Amino acid sequence: MNRTHFEKELEELHYDVLKMGSLVEEAIANAIASLVNHDTELAQKVIDDDDRIDKIEVEIDNKCAKIMVTQQPIARDLRIVLTGLKIVTDLERMADHAVDIAKTTLRIAHQKYIKPLIDIPRMAEIVREMVKMSLDSYVRQDLDLARAIGEKDDIVDALYKQIFRELLTYMMEDPRNIDQATQFLFVARYLERIADHATNICEWIIYLDTGEHIDLN
Amino acid sequence: MNRTHFEKELEELHYDVLKMGSLVEEAIANAIASLVNHDTELAQKVIDDDDRIDKIEVEIDNKCAKIMVTQQPIARDLRIVLTGLKIVTDLERMADHAVDIAKTTLRIAHQKYIKPLIDIPRMAEIVREMVKMSLDSYVRQDLDLARAIGEKDDIVDALYKQIFRELLTYMMEDPRNIDQATQFLFVARYLERIADHATNICEWIIYLDTGEHIDLN
């Protein structure tokens, strides 16, 4: 294998994954901002921009396939490319959840909210950090950073449980809160799922280095 | 490329994907049965068996990588292998949702249910058909079958909306129903997600044949 050429292709792959990742981070941030600020225009932007993310997924898939076929990487090099293929699937799913959140905004933005949203944006902030961590771990192949994501995921899980309990209380207090509280419940669930995908990415990174699949959450 | 050898490896890949698929179908059926019948033992089995599904995913990934490197498929052949890699990710996520449902069983099986479960098992039945359809389309490369999944997905979406509305009514009637109704709501959501993954698989199959990504739902 032509090492230099392979490394150049790998650099390009990393660049594309990071580009896709930053679009996904932006989608999550915008989706939550649209919800908090009753901003249907921003929500629509998140939904419209998802096409672009889907296209980058296909581009990266094709690039990985090309590297496999032309460079025939083996062992660790092969795992780097395989991991690329897996990671973009997780990123694409995260973007889909951002779209789910944006759709929730479109559904309820015209209503007065039953409560100010505080924990959901906090949860979103940590989830975004997790997305960033997972991509940094991939590009730098930093196993310690990848392993550290478990702790963040615990915080997200705890926040999710707290939000869940609080929303149930709102529902029980007044049945008129149920419809909206259910929507917020789903938003919290989407964020928890995004965190799971970031954790998946870190598991792939550890697999990439060790060849072993481990469970980080 | 040695055509016969490639075809033999492809046959093996199809066999593995179908094996993984049938385990996933079984996990979905068992998860729903465990919920309907308050059967915590069966729920625990679904959770325990998930490891096996995860292992098959890794095996198929490795097999696809091996085919890519040793056979260097191009164009359509390459897309068949790439599709294999993508499909197993969807299958693995479906199995995770079956585990989510089984965990719900463990959470509420000791309670008397607020209502008999009728629409959820109906929805699960259609979702299982969709999983089967998607795998049959892949192995037979039957584009018409793949395209037909959109209709089924519409039925699932309609059932989901119906279940959602009904459960909201239960919550509004009596706040003591809220906790359990929320659990059932999530189960319906997990089923809807599984249907989405089956639809994803069909989209990959159409991509495999045409090289074009289309949206089936």
Side-chain angles (χ1 to χ4, degrees), chain A:
Chain A
M1 177 168 41
N2 181 333
R3 190 76 215 169
T4 324
H5 190 68
F6 177 70
E7 271 161 14
K8 197 172 156 286
E9 289 196 308
L10 219 55
E11 237 171 66
E12 265 185 49
L13 175 64
H14 284 167
Y15 176 80
D16 288 345
V17 169
L18 284 181
K19 187 173 70 180
M20 185 175 173
S22 72
L23 288 175
V24 170
E25 268 187 74
E26 197 186 313
I28 298 166
N30 284 342
I32 292 295
S34 80
L35 184 72
V36 172
N37 305 319
H38 302 251
D39 185 343
T40 54
E41 213 169 293
L42 190 58
Q44 193 57 51
K45 185 179 146 47
V46 173
I47 295 165
D48 295 340
D49 286 356
D50 193 48
D51 270 356
R52 205 175 140 207
I53 293 175
D54 289 347
K55 281 208 187 84
I56 298 181
E57 184 194 8
V58 176
E59 276 169 35
I60 295 177
D61 282 347
N62 290 338
K63 212 166 268 185
C64 288
K66 190 174 152 263
I67 297 177
M68 286 209 201
V69 169
T70 57
Q71 303 284 336
Q72 301 180 57
I74 53 164
R76 193 156 189 288
D77 291 340
L78 174 60
R79 289 201 300 265
I80 293 179
V81 183
L82 265 182
T83 309
L85 276 171
K86 289 292 181 178
I87 283 180
V88 292
T89 315
D90 281 301
L91 285 175
E92 192 262 331
R93 295 290 151 77
M94 291 179 189
D96 283 349
H97 288 312
V99 168
D100 287 331
I101 295 171
K103 284 183 182 165
T104 306
T105 301
L106 295 187
R107 214 169 286 133
I108 64 172
H110 60 286
Q111 301 171 12
K112 191 182 177 306
Y113 290 168
I114 55 172
K115 69 181 290 294
L117 299 183
I118 293 159
D119 284 335
I120 285 181
R122 256 181 66 201
M123 190 176 169
E125 201 39 58
I126 301 171
V127 168
R128 275 186 66 201
E129 278 170 33
M130 288 175 71
V131 177
K132 208 175 155 4
M133 264 173 96
S134 68
L135 295 174
D136 286 346
S137 320
Y138 173 61
V139 170
R140 293 192 230 141
Q141 290 165 43
D142 183 337
L143 292 206
D144 292 333
L145 191 59
R147 284 199 190 90
I149 210 160
E151 281 170 44
K152 292 261 180 201
D153 201 35
D154 289 344
I155 302 174
V156 167
D157 286 347
L159 266 172
Y160 172 70
K161 280 192 189 113
Q162 185 182 316
I163 292 169
F164 189 95
R165 273 193 308 264
E166 195 193 5
L167 287 171
L168 279 195
T169 314
Y170 272 86
M171 292 196 225
M172 293 195 191
E173 271 170 20
D174 187 345
R176 284 169 301 177
N177 292 336
I178 289 177
D179 203 353
Q180 213 185 80
T182 308
Q183 299 297 328
F184 291 140
L185 212 53
F186 277 124
V187 169
R189 186 76 192 169
Y190 298 136
L191 288 174
E192 199 224 1
R193 284 282 144 163
I194 296 174
D196 280 348
H197 284 293
T199 309
N200 274 349
I201 290 181
C202 289
E203 289 172 2
W204 282 116
I205 292 156
I206 292 169
Y207 166 69
L208 155 75
D209 198 85
T210 62
E212 295 281 328
H213 273 268
I214 59 146
D215 196 350
L216 283 173
N217 63 4

Side-chain angles (χ1 to χ4, degrees), chain B residues 3 12 22-23 28 35 37 45 100 102 112 117-118 121-122 125-126 130 153 162-163 166 178 203 211:
Chain B
R3 191 75 214 169
E12 265 184 49
S22 72
L23 288 175
I28 298 166
L35 185 72
N37 305 318
K45 185 180 146 47
D100 286 332
K112 190 179 176 307
L117 298 182
I118 294 161
R122 256 181 67 203
E125 199 40 59
I126 302 171
M130 287 175 70
D153 201 36
Q162 184 181 316
I163 291 168
E166 196 194 6
I178 288 176
E203 288 172 1

